[in-house]
Amino acid sequence: MTTKMHQLRYWLIIVLLVLVGGAVAYYLMPREWSQMQWEIPGTPAEYPLSQMLRPWLILVGCFLPALGMFMYSRACIMDKYVAKTWFSAFMMCTSILALIYIIGDFADNVGDLMNLESPFIGSIQFYLVLMPMILNLILPYTLLLGSLWALTKLSSSSEITGMLQSGRSLLRVTAPILVGAVIASIYFGIFGFHWAPNATMYRKMMFDSLSQNSNKNRSTVFNNTAQQRIWLIGDPPAIDEPSRPFKKLRIEQFSSPGKLEYDLFCESATWDAASRTWTFVNAQKRTFSQAEPRALEDVPQFEENVYAELKQNFPETPWQLISPSVRVDTQGTPALLEVMRAGTTNPSQLRALETEWHVRLARAFSCIILVFIAIPSAITFQRRSTVSGIGIALFLAAAMLFLYEFFPTMSTAGYIPTWLGAWMPNILYIIITIRLFQTKLAHRTLMEVLRGGKKA
Protein backbone atom coordinates (compact mmCIF):
# COMPACT_ATOMS: atom_id res chain seq x y z
CA MET A 1 0.00 0.00 0.00
CA THR A 2 2.81 2.36 0.91
CA THR A 3 4.58 1.64 -2.38
CA LYS A 4 1.44 2.42 -4.34
CA MET A 5 1.01 5.69 -2.45
CA HIS A 6 4.58 6.65 -3.23
CA GLN A 7 4.12 5.85 -6.92
CA LEU A 8 0.88 7.85 -6.99
CA ARG A 9 2.67 10.81 -5.40
CA TYR A 10 5.45 10.60 -7.96
CA TRP A 11 2.98 10.53 -10.85
CA LEU A 12 1.08 13.50 -9.44
CA ILE A 13 4.34 15.48 -9.27
CA ILE A 14 5.24 14.43 -12.83
CA VAL A 15 1.82 15.50 -14.13
CA LEU A 16 2.13 18.82 -12.26
CA LEU A 17 5.58 19.43 -13.78
CA VAL A 18 4.23 18.61 -17.26
CA LEU A 19 1.37 21.10 -16.80
CA VAL A 20 3.69 23.82 -15.51
CA GLY A 21 6.18 23.16 -18.31
CA GLY A 22 3.40 23.27 -20.89
CA ALA A 23 2.11 26.59 -19.53
CA VAL A 24 5.60 28.12 -19.58
CA ALA A 25 6.21 26.84 -23.14
CA TYR A 26 2.81 28.20 -24.24
CA TYR A 27 3.85 31.63 -22.94
CA LEU A 28 7.50 31.68 -24.12
CA MET A 29 7.43 30.03 -27.56
CA PRO A 30 5.16 32.60 -29.30
CA ARG A 31 7.27 35.40 -27.83
CA GLU A 32 10.39 33.75 -29.24
CA TRP A 33 8.80 33.44 -32.70
CA SER A 34 7.90 37.13 -32.59
CA GLN A 35 11.45 38.06 -31.59
CA MET A 36 12.86 35.91 -34.40
CA GLN A 37 10.77 37.75 -37.00
CA TRP A 38 12.43 40.97 -35.87
CA GLU A 39 15.96 39.65 -35.75
CA ILE A 40 16.13 37.39 -38.80
CA PRO A 41 15.76 38.33 -42.49
CA GLY A 42 13.38 36.44 -44.74
CA THR A 43 10.27 34.39 -44.03
CA PRO A 44 10.08 31.54 -41.46
CA ALA A 45 10.37 29.01 -44.29
CA GLU A 46 13.82 30.47 -45.06
CA TYR A 47 15.13 30.45 -41.49
CA PRO A 48 18.33 28.40 -41.03
CA LEU A 49 18.23 25.37 -38.75
CA SER A 50 20.13 27.14 -35.96
CA GLN A 51 17.41 29.80 -35.73
CA MET A 52 14.58 27.28 -35.97
CA LEU A 53 16.02 25.48 -32.93
CA ARG A 54 15.38 28.41 -30.61
CA PRO A 55 11.69 27.85 -29.76
CA TRP A 56 12.19 24.08 -29.69
CA LEU A 57 15.05 24.36 -27.23
CA ILE A 58 12.70 26.36 -25.01
CA LEU A 59 10.22 23.49 -25.28
CA VAL A 60 12.90 20.97 -24.28
CA GLY A 61 13.93 23.09 -21.30
CA CYS A 62 10.34 23.37 -20.10
CA PHE A 63 9.85 19.59 -19.94
CA LEU A 64 13.27 18.52 -18.63
CA PRO A 65 12.13 18.74 -14.96
CA ALA A 66 9.29 16.32 -15.68
CA LEU A 67 11.75 13.94 -17.36
CA GLY A 68 14.09 14.16 -14.39
CA MET A 69 11.24 13.43 -11.99
CA PHE A 70 10.19 10.43 -14.10
CA MET A 71 13.73 9.03 -13.95
CA TYR A 72 13.79 9.62 -10.20
CA SER A 73 10.50 7.74 -9.74
CA ARG A 74 11.93 4.70 -11.57
CA ALA A 75 15.19 4.61 -9.60
CA CYS A 76 15.98 2.25 -6.73
CA ILE A 77 16.06 3.35 -3.09
CA MET A 78 19.84 3.82 -2.99
CA ASP A 79 19.84 5.93 -6.17
CA LYS A 80 16.97 8.04 -4.83
CA TYR A 81 18.89 8.69 -1.63
CA VAL A 82 22.05 9.78 -3.47
CA ALA A 83 20.03 11.88 -5.93
CA LYS A 84 18.06 13.59 -3.15
CA THR A 85 21.21 14.39 -1.15
CA TRP A 86 22.98 15.78 -4.20
CA PHE A 87 20.01 17.75 -5.55
CA SER A 88 19.44 19.50 -2.21
CA ALA A 89 23.10 20.55 -2.03
CA PHE A 90 23.15 21.62 -5.70
CA MET A 91 20.02 23.76 -5.40
CA MET A 92 21.31 25.35 -2.21
CA CYS A 93 24.63 26.28 -3.85
CA THR A 94 22.89 27.57 -6.98
CA SER A 95 20.46 29.71 -4.98
CA ILE A 96 23.22 31.16 -2.79
CA LEU A 97 25.57 32.05 -5.66
CA ALA A 98 22.73 33.49 -7.77
CA LEU A 99 21.58 35.60 -4.81
CA ILE A 100 25.13 36.81 -4.16
CA TYR A 101 25.49 37.86 -7.80
CA ILE A 102 22.14 39.68 -7.85
CA ILE A 103 22.81 41.52 -4.57
CA GLY A 104 26.30 42.55 -5.70
CA ASP A 105 25.10 43.69 -9.12
CA PHE A 106 22.16 45.56 -7.60
CA ALA A 107 24.44 47.32 -5.10
CA ASP A 108 26.73 48.45 -7.94
CA ASN A 109 23.88 49.71 -10.15
CA VAL A 110 21.18 50.78 -7.68
CA GLY A 111 21.50 54.41 -8.79
CA ASP A 112 20.70 53.51 -12.41
CA LEU A 113 17.88 51.12 -11.49
CA MET A 114 16.20 53.87 -9.49
CA ASN A 115 15.65 55.67 -12.82
CA LEU A 116 13.11 53.02 -13.84
CA GLU A 117 9.45 54.06 -13.84
CA SER A 118 8.76 51.45 -11.15
CA PRO A 119 12.12 50.72 -9.49
CA PHE A 120 10.98 47.75 -7.40
CA ILE A 121 8.94 45.91 -10.05
CA GLY A 122 11.34 46.97 -12.81
CA SER A 123 14.35 45.62 -10.90
CA ILE A 124 12.63 42.27 -10.36
CA GLN A 125 11.75 42.02 -14.06
CA PHE A 126 15.28 43.07 -14.99
CA TYR A 127 16.95 40.31 -12.98
CA LEU A 128 14.43 37.73 -14.16
CA VAL A 129 15.50 38.53 -17.73
CA LEU A 130 19.14 38.17 -16.62
CA MET A 131 18.63 34.71 -15.06
CA PRO A 132 19.88 32.78 -18.15
CA MET A 133 23.06 34.85 -18.07
CA ILE A 134 23.50 34.42 -14.31
CA LEU A 135 22.91 30.67 -14.42
CA ASN A 136 25.24 30.35 -17.41
CA LEU A 137 27.98 31.98 -15.33
CA ILE A 138 27.55 29.99 -12.12
CA LEU A 139 26.12 26.61 -13.16
CA PRO A 140 29.43 24.70 -13.67
CA TYR A 141 30.70 25.86 -10.29
CA THR A 142 27.48 25.24 -8.37
CA LEU A 143 27.56 21.72 -9.81
CA LEU A 144 31.10 21.35 -8.47
CA LEU A 145 30.27 22.81 -5.05
CA GLY A 146 27.02 20.87 -4.73
CA SER A 147 28.72 17.61 -5.67
CA LEU A 148 31.57 18.26 -3.21
CA TRP A 149 29.08 19.08 -0.46
CA ALA A 150 26.91 16.02 -1.03
CA LEU A 151 29.74 13.52 -1.51
CA THR A 152 31.68 14.84 1.47
CA LYS A 153 28.59 14.34 3.62
CA LEU A 154 28.06 10.78 2.34
CA SER A 155 31.75 9.93 2.63
CA SER A 156 32.25 11.32 6.15
CA SER A 157 29.38 9.17 7.44
CA SER A 158 30.86 6.08 5.67
CA GLU A 159 27.72 5.73 3.57
CA ILE A 160 29.76 5.66 0.35
CA THR A 161 31.83 2.80 1.77
CA GLY A 162 28.67 0.85 2.57
CA MET A 163 27.31 1.40 -0.93
CA LEU A 164 30.57 0.17 -2.47
CA GLN A 165 30.49 -2.94 -0.26
CA SER A 166 27.10 -3.78 -1.77
CA GLY A 167 28.96 -4.65 -4.97
CA ARG A 168 28.50 -1.43 -6.89
CA SER A 169 31.38 0.42 -8.52
CA LEU A 170 32.23 4.02 -7.73
CA LEU A 171 30.73 5.19 -11.03
CA ARG A 172 27.55 3.21 -10.40
CA VAL A 173 27.15 4.66 -6.92
CA THR A 174 27.52 8.20 -8.26
CA ALA A 175 25.41 7.56 -11.38
CA PRO A 176 22.46 9.69 -10.09
CA ILE A 177 24.85 12.63 -9.68
CA LEU A 178 26.20 12.15 -13.20
CA VAL A 179 22.67 12.01 -14.62
CA GLY A 180 21.86 15.26 -12.80
CA ALA A 181 25.05 16.80 -14.19
CA VAL A 182 24.04 15.80 -17.74
CA ILE A 183 20.61 17.44 -17.29
CA ALA A 184 22.28 20.57 -15.88
CA SER A 185 24.73 20.64 -18.80
CA ILE A 186 21.77 20.49 -21.21
CA TYR A 187 20.33 23.57 -19.51
CA PHE A 188 23.78 25.19 -19.68
CA GLY A 189 23.89 24.52 -23.42
CA ILE A 190 20.34 25.83 -23.91
CA PHE A 191 21.09 29.04 -22.02
CA GLY A 192 24.37 29.56 -23.86
CA PHE A 193 22.81 28.90 -27.26
CA HIS A 194 21.01 32.25 -27.36
CA TRP A 195 19.47 33.54 -24.14
CA ALA A 196 22.53 34.08 -21.95
CA PRO A 197 24.36 36.17 -24.61
CA ASN A 198 21.09 37.98 -25.35
CA ALA A 199 20.68 38.77 -21.64
CA THR A 200 24.25 40.09 -21.56
CA MET A 201 23.43 42.45 -24.42
CA TYR A 202 20.14 43.44 -22.76
CA ARG A 203 21.98 44.28 -19.54
CA LYS A 204 24.54 46.41 -21.37
CA MET A 205 21.95 48.33 -23.36
CA MET A 206 19.67 48.77 -20.35
CA PHE A 207 22.38 50.33 -18.21
CA ASP A 208 23.54 52.47 -21.14
CA SER A 209 20.03 53.91 -21.39
CA LEU A 210 19.52 54.29 -17.61
CA SER A 211 22.91 55.69 -16.69
CA GLN A 212 22.61 59.21 -15.32
CA ASN A 213 25.98 60.06 -16.83
CA SER A 214 25.33 58.52 -20.24
CA ASN A 215 25.19 60.59 -23.39
CA LYS A 216 21.58 60.88 -24.54
CA ASN A 217 22.75 60.68 -28.15
CA ARG A 218 22.22 57.00 -29.02
CA SER A 219 23.96 57.21 -32.40
CA THR A 220 25.83 54.13 -33.53
CA VAL A 221 28.24 53.12 -36.29
CA PHE A 222 28.40 49.77 -38.08
CA ASN A 223 31.41 49.02 -40.28
CA ASN A 224 31.01 46.29 -42.92
CA THR A 225 34.71 45.87 -43.61
CA ALA A 226 34.19 42.96 -46.01
CA GLN A 227 32.12 45.11 -48.40
CA GLN A 228 33.73 48.45 -47.47
CA ARG A 229 30.49 50.04 -46.28
CA ILE A 230 29.88 52.17 -43.18
CA TRP A 231 26.48 52.84 -41.60
CA LEU A 232 26.18 55.95 -39.44
CA ILE A 233 22.84 55.91 -37.60
CA GLY A 234 21.86 59.05 -35.73
CA ASP A 235 18.71 57.65 -34.11
CA PRO A 236 18.55 53.82 -34.13
CA PRO A 237 15.57 51.95 -32.66
CA ALA A 238 16.00 50.54 -29.18
CA ILE A 239 16.23 46.82 -28.58
CA ASP A 240 12.63 46.81 -27.31
CA GLU A 241 11.29 48.94 -30.22
CA PRO A 242 11.63 46.64 -33.24
CA SER A 243 8.88 48.32 -35.25
CA ARG A 244 10.41 51.81 -35.14
CA PRO A 245 12.36 52.81 -38.30
CA PHE A 246 15.98 53.93 -38.36
CA LYS A 247 16.26 57.72 -38.47
CA LYS A 248 18.98 60.18 -39.48
CA LEU A 249 20.85 57.56 -41.47
CA ARG A 250 23.98 57.94 -43.58
CA ILE A 251 25.68 55.20 -45.60
CA GLU A 252 29.17 55.52 -47.04
CA GLN A 253 30.23 53.03 -49.73
CA PHE A 254 33.89 52.84 -50.70
CA SER A 255 35.25 51.38 -53.94
CA SER A 256 38.70 50.98 -52.37
CA PRO A 257 40.20 51.97 -49.02
CA GLY A 258 39.90 55.72 -48.64
CA LYS A 259 38.10 56.21 -51.97
CA LEU A 260 34.39 57.07 -51.59
CA GLU A 261 32.13 55.65 -54.28
CA TYR A 262 28.83 57.12 -53.03
CA ASP A 263 27.11 58.22 -49.85
CA LEU A 264 23.43 58.08 -49.00
CA PHE A 265 21.49 60.32 -46.63
CA CYS A 266 17.89 59.76 -45.56
CA GLU A 267 15.38 60.84 -42.93
CA SER A 268 14.29 57.28 -42.14
CA ALA A 269 14.83 53.71 -43.29
CA THR A 270 12.86 50.50 -42.83
CA TRP A 271 13.67 46.84 -43.48
CA ASP A 272 11.42 44.44 -45.35
CA ALA A 273 12.29 40.94 -44.11
CA ALA A 274 10.34 39.18 -46.88
CA SER A 275 12.20 40.83 -49.80
CA ARG A 276 15.36 41.61 -47.78
CA THR A 277 15.21 45.18 -49.02
CA TRP A 278 15.91 48.50 -47.32
CA THR A 279 13.54 51.39 -48.10
CA PHE A 280 15.02 54.86 -47.60
CA VAL A 281 12.56 57.76 -47.28
CA ASN A 282 13.49 61.30 -48.47
CA ALA A 283 16.88 60.02 -49.57
CA GLN A 284 19.75 61.93 -51.09
CA LYS A 285 22.42 59.93 -52.93
CA ARG A 286 25.72 61.38 -54.10
CA THR A 287 27.78 59.32 -56.55
CA PHE A 288 31.40 60.44 -56.66
CA SER A 289 33.66 60.42 -59.69
CA GLN A 290 36.32 57.71 -59.52
CA ALA A 291 38.78 59.71 -61.64
CA GLU A 292 41.91 60.79 -59.81
CA PRO A 293 41.94 64.56 -58.98
CA ARG A 294 44.58 66.63 -60.70
CA ALA A 295 45.55 68.31 -57.44
CA LEU A 296 44.99 67.60 -53.76
CA GLU A 297 42.98 70.79 -53.28
CA ASP A 298 40.47 69.90 -56.03
CA VAL A 299 36.88 69.47 -54.78
CA PRO A 300 35.60 65.91 -55.40
CA GLN A 301 33.13 65.74 -58.26
CA PHE A 302 29.83 63.95 -57.66
CA GLU A 303 26.37 63.49 -59.12
CA GLU A 304 23.50 64.13 -56.72
CA ASN A 305 20.02 62.56 -56.88
CA VAL A 306 17.04 63.01 -54.57
CA TYR A 307 14.43 60.30 -54.04
CA ALA A 308 11.14 60.37 -52.18
CA GLU A 309 11.61 56.63 -51.70
CA LEU A 310 14.65 54.54 -52.62
CA LYS A 311 14.95 50.77 -52.33
CA GLN A 312 18.35 49.11 -51.95
CA ASN A 313 19.46 45.52 -51.33
CA PHE A 314 22.03 45.42 -48.54
CA PRO A 315 22.94 42.24 -46.59
CA GLU A 316 23.00 44.07 -43.25
CA THR A 317 19.96 43.40 -41.06
CA PRO A 318 18.45 45.75 -38.46
CA TRP A 319 19.48 43.43 -35.64
CA GLN A 320 23.07 43.41 -36.87
CA LEU A 321 23.15 47.22 -37.03
CA ILE A 322 21.79 47.97 -33.56
CA SER A 323 23.36 45.10 -31.60
CA PRO A 324 26.89 45.60 -30.27
CA SER A 325 28.62 43.54 -32.94
CA VAL A 326 32.11 44.02 -31.49
CA ARG A 327 31.22 42.02 -28.34
CA VAL A 328 30.94 38.42 -29.53
CA ASP A 329 29.73 37.34 -26.08
CA THR A 330 26.53 39.36 -26.62
CA GLN A 331 25.56 37.49 -29.77
CA GLY A 332 23.48 34.32 -29.70
CA THR A 333 24.88 31.25 -31.43
CA PRO A 334 22.44 31.56 -34.38
CA ALA A 335 23.48 35.21 -34.80
CA LEU A 336 27.16 34.20 -34.78
CA LEU A 337 26.53 31.69 -37.54
CA GLU A 338 24.52 34.24 -39.54
CA VAL A 339 27.28 36.85 -39.33
CA MET A 340 29.95 34.30 -40.30
CA ARG A 341 27.87 33.18 -43.28
CA ALA A 342 27.09 36.77 -44.36
CA GLY A 343 30.80 37.57 -44.73
CA THR A 344 30.46 41.11 -43.38
CA THR A 345 33.40 40.90 -40.95
CA ASN A 346 37.16 41.12 -41.29
CA PRO A 347 39.37 38.02 -40.79
CA SER A 348 40.28 38.95 -37.20
CA GLN A 349 36.64 39.34 -36.18
CA LEU A 350 35.77 36.14 -38.03
CA ARG A 351 38.32 34.21 -35.96
CA ALA A 352 36.79 35.67 -32.80
CA LEU A 353 33.32 34.55 -33.90
CA GLU A 354 34.50 31.04 -34.80
CA THR A 355 36.34 30.73 -31.48
CA GLU A 356 33.28 31.86 -29.51
CA TRP A 357 31.12 29.32 -31.34
CA HIS A 358 33.49 26.46 -30.47
CA VAL A 359 33.81 27.71 -26.87
CA ARG A 360 30.06 27.51 -26.36
CA LEU A 361 30.04 23.91 -27.51
CA ALA A 362 33.05 23.01 -25.37
CA ARG A 363 31.88 24.71 -22.19
CA ALA A 364 28.65 22.70 -22.15
CA PHE A 365 30.84 19.70 -21.26
CA SER A 366 32.62 21.61 -18.46
CA CYS A 367 29.63 20.93 -16.18
CA ILE A 368 30.12 17.17 -16.50
CA ILE A 369 33.92 17.40 -16.26
CA LEU A 370 33.79 19.37 -12.99
CA VAL A 371 31.43 16.80 -11.47
CA PHE A 372 33.85 14.04 -12.49
CA ILE A 373 36.58 16.03 -10.71
CA ALA A 374 34.41 16.43 -7.59
CA ILE A 375 33.74 12.67 -7.22
CA PRO A 376 37.32 11.49 -6.51
CA SER A 377 38.17 14.72 -4.69
CA ALA A 378 35.40 14.49 -2.07
CA ILE A 379 35.35 10.74 -1.42
CA THR A 380 37.75 9.18 1.08
CA PHE A 381 38.04 5.54 2.10
CA GLN A 382 40.28 5.98 5.14
CA ARG A 383 40.06 8.12 8.24
CA ARG A 384 41.54 11.20 6.69
CA SER A 385 40.34 14.70 6.00
CA THR A 386 38.71 15.63 2.68
CA VAL A 387 40.03 19.19 2.91
CA SER A 388 43.01 18.57 0.63
CA GLY A 389 40.83 16.91 -2.03
CA ILE A 390 38.30 19.74 -1.92
CA GLY A 391 41.10 22.29 -2.13
CA ILE A 392 42.53 20.58 -5.20
CA ALA A 393 39.08 20.49 -6.82
CA LEU A 394 38.54 24.21 -6.20
CA PHE A 395 41.99 24.98 -7.56
CA LEU A 396 41.28 22.97 -10.71
CA ALA A 397 37.96 24.80 -11.16
CA ALA A 398 39.69 28.18 -10.89
CA ALA A 399 42.38 27.01 -13.32
CA MET A 400 39.69 25.88 -15.78
CA LEU A 401 38.20 29.38 -15.67
CA PHE A 402 41.61 30.81 -16.55
CA LEU A 403 42.21 28.27 -19.34
CA TYR A 404 38.84 29.07 -20.93
CA GLU A 405 40.12 32.63 -21.27
CA PHE A 406 43.75 31.86 -22.18
CA PHE A 407 43.36 29.32 -24.99
CA PRO A 408 40.47 31.13 -26.79
CA THR A 409 42.54 34.31 -26.67
CA MET A 410 45.40 32.44 -28.31
CA SER A 411 43.12 31.10 -31.05
CA THR A 412 41.51 34.52 -31.61
CA ALA A 413 44.99 35.97 -32.10
CA GLY A 414 45.69 33.29 -34.69
CA TYR A 415 48.38 31.32 -32.81
CA ILE A 416 46.39 28.06 -32.71
CA PRO A 417 43.32 26.77 -34.59
CA THR A 418 39.98 28.09 -33.33
CA TRP A 419 38.62 24.64 -32.47
CA LEU A 420 41.76 23.70 -30.53
CA GLY A 421 41.65 26.88 -28.45
CA ALA A 422 38.09 26.10 -27.39
CA TRP A 423 38.52 22.38 -26.70
CA MET A 424 42.04 22.35 -25.20
CA PRO A 425 40.81 22.94 -21.58
CA ASN A 426 38.43 19.99 -21.92
CA ILE A 427 41.18 17.77 -23.33
CA LEU A 428 43.53 18.62 -20.45
CA TYR A 429 40.84 18.11 -17.82
CA ILE A 430 39.73 14.76 -19.22
CA ILE A 431 43.32 13.56 -18.71
CA ILE A 432 43.34 14.99 -15.17
CA THR A 433 39.97 13.37 -14.39
CA ILE A 434 41.14 9.95 -15.55
CA ARG A 435 44.22 10.26 -13.34
CA LEU A 436 42.13 11.31 -10.34
CA PHE A 437 39.89 8.27 -10.71
CA GLN A 438 42.90 5.99 -11.01
CA THR A 439 44.32 7.30 -7.74
CA LYS A 440 40.98 7.07 -5.97
CA LEU A 441 40.35 3.49 -7.09
CA ALA A 442 43.82 2.66 -5.77
CA HIS A 443 42.78 4.19 -2.41
CA ARG A 444 45.42 6.88 -2.72
CA THR A 445 45.12 10.66 -2.66
CA LEU A 446 46.45 12.91 -5.39
CA MET A 447 49.00 14.37 -2.97
CA GLU A 448 50.37 10.89 -2.29
CA VAL A 449 50.70 10.28 -6.01
CA LEU A 450 52.49 13.61 -6.52
CA ARG A 451 54.88 12.79 -3.65
CA GLY A 452 55.36 9.25 -4.93
CA GLY A 453 54.24 7.85 -1.57
CA LYS A 454 52.24 4.78 -0.75
CA LYS A 455 48.72 4.64 0.59
CA ALA A 456 48.32 4.94 4.31
Side-chain angles (χ1 to χ4, degrees), residues 100-287:
I100 290 173
Y101 178 93
I102 291 173
I103 292 175
D105 190 76
F106 179 80
D108 289 339
N109 301 286
V110 62
D112 294 335
L113 292 172
M114 289 300 104
N115 293 330
L116 293 169
E117 293 184 6
S118 178
F120 179 73
I121 301 298
S123 297
I124 293 176
Q125 293 175 341
F126 174 71
Y127 284 107
L128 285 176
V129 173
L130 293 189
M131 283 309 298
M133 181 198 75
I134 297 171
L135 292 175
N136 200 250
L137 289 173
I138 68 174
L139 200 54
Y141 308 102
T142 59
L143 278 169
L144 173 71
L145 295 175
S147 300
L148 289 173
W149 184 354
L151 291 172
T152 300
K153 177 182 176 182
L154 294 174
S155 183
S156 61
S157 60
S158 299
E159 291 176 283
I160 290 289
T161 303
M163 294 176 186
L164 292 173
Q165 290 176 347
S166 68
R168 294 189 173 191
S169 66
L170 182 59
L171 286 177
R172 179 61 187 86
V173 168
T174 57
I177 298 177
L178 297 176
V179 171
V182 170
I183 294 176
S185 67
I186 293 174
Y187 272 114
F188 183 88
I190 291 174
F191 293 147
F193 184 77
H194 174 76
W195 296 276
N198 194 63
T200 303
M201 180 176 62
Y202 172 79
R203 180 182 183 277
K204 179 182 182 300
M205 299 185 74
M206 175 66 79
F207 283 132
D208 285 346
S209 63
L210 291 177
S211 178
Q212 296 176 346
N213 299 321
S214 65
N215 187 354
K216 297 303 180 182
N217 181 12
R218 298 190 298 117
S219 61
T220 185
V221 177
F222 179 81
N223 188 0
N224 183 344
T225 56
Q227 299 185 5
Q228 302 187 73
R229 184 165 46 250
I230 299 176
W231 295 65
L232 301 99
I233 309 165
D235 186 11
I239 196 68
D240 56 350
E241 298 177 314
S243 60
R244 194 168 72 82
F246 290 73
K247 296 183 178 180
K248 303 177 182 178
L249 182 66
R250 178 180 178 182
I251 299 174
E252 296 179 348
Q253 177 67 59
F254 293 85
S255 58
S256 60
K259 192 171 185 62
L260 189 62
E261 180 180 350
Y262 68 82
D263 58 12
L264 175 66
F265 303 84
C266 70
E267 291 184 2
S268 64
T270 56
W271 162 261
D272 183 10
S275 62
R276 305 185 185 186
T277 302
W278 284 92
T279 300
F280 303 98
V281 179
N282 294 332
Q284 176 184 1
K285 185 175 182 180
R286 299 187 302 182
T287 304

Side-chain angles (χ1 to χ4, degrees), residues 195-407:
W195 296 276
N198 194 63
T200 303
M201 180 176 62
Y202 172 79
R203 180 182 183 277
K204 179 182 182 300
M205 299 185 74
M206 175 66 79
F207 283 132
D208 285 346
S209 63
L210 291 177
S211 178
Q212 296 176 346
N213 299 321
S214 65
N215 187 354
K216 297 303 180 182
N217 181 12
R218 298 190 298 117
S219 61
T220 185
V221 177
F222 179 81
N223 188 0
N224 183 344
T225 56
Q227 299 185 5
Q228 302 187 73
R229 184 165 46 250
I230 299 176
W231 295 65
L232 301 99
I233 309 165
D235 186 11
I239 196 68
D240 56 350
E241 298 177 314
S243 60
R244 194 168 72 82
F246 290 73
K247 296 183 178 180
K248 303 177 182 178
L249 182 66
R250 178 180 178 182
I251 299 174
E252 296 179 348
Q253 177 67 59
F254 293 85
S255 58
S256 60
K259 192 171 185 62
L260 189 62
E261 180 180 350
Y262 68 82
D263 58 12
L264 175 66
F265 303 84
C266 70
E267 291 184 2
S268 64
T270 56
W271 162 261
D272 183 10
S275 62
R276 305 185 185 186
T277 302
W278 284 92
T279 300
F280 303 98
V281 179
N282 294 332
Q284 176 184 1
K285 185 175 182 180
R286 299 187 302 182
T287 304
F288 290 82
S289 173
Q290 300 301 295
E292 294 294 333
R294 295 180 179 180
L296 292 176
E297 62 272 11
D298 288 351
V299 177
Q301 301 296 315
F302 60 84
E303 177 184 349
E304 184 174 359
N305 295 291
V306 178
Y307 306 88
E309 185 176 280
L310 175 64
K311 294 183 181 294
Q312 292 278 114
N313 293 102
F314 291 125
E316 294 87 349
T317 65
W319 182 259
Q320 188 177 359
L321 295 179
I322 67 174
S323 61
S325 57
V326 176
R327 290 275 304 275
V328 295
D329 61 332
T330 63
Q331 301 290 331
T333 302
L336 292 181
L337 297 175
E338 286 291 303
V339 174
M340 287 189 288
R341 183 165 53 247
T344 57
T345 58
N346 56 48
S348 176
Q349 183 70 5
L350 183 60
R351 279 198 307 271
L353 295 173
E354 291 176 348
T355 301
E356 179 69 16
W357 181 69
H358 284 292
V359 166
R360 291 180 188 178
L361 291 176
R363 292 203 66 180
F365 293 92
S366 66
C367 299
I368 303 174
I369 292 174
L370 287 177
V371 171
F372 269 109
I373 287 176
I375 292 173
S377 299
I379 295 176
T380 58
F381 298 116
Q382 295 89 21
R383 294 182 177 274
R384 62 181 67 179
S385 173
T386 59
V387 173
S388 61
I390 294 175
I392 291 172
L394 295 177
F395 170 78
L396 291 174
M400 175 179 275
L401 187 64
F402 166 76
L403 294 178
Y404 270 122
E405 294 293 333
F406 175 76
F407 283 109

Side-chain angles (χ1 to χ4, degrees), residues 27-40:
Y27 173 74
L28 291 179
M29 290 183 69
R31 291 171 60 90
E32 193 64 25
W33 276 110
S34 176
Q35 181 70 13
M36 287 170 61
Q37 292 175 356
W38 154 235
E39 296 180 17
I40 311 168

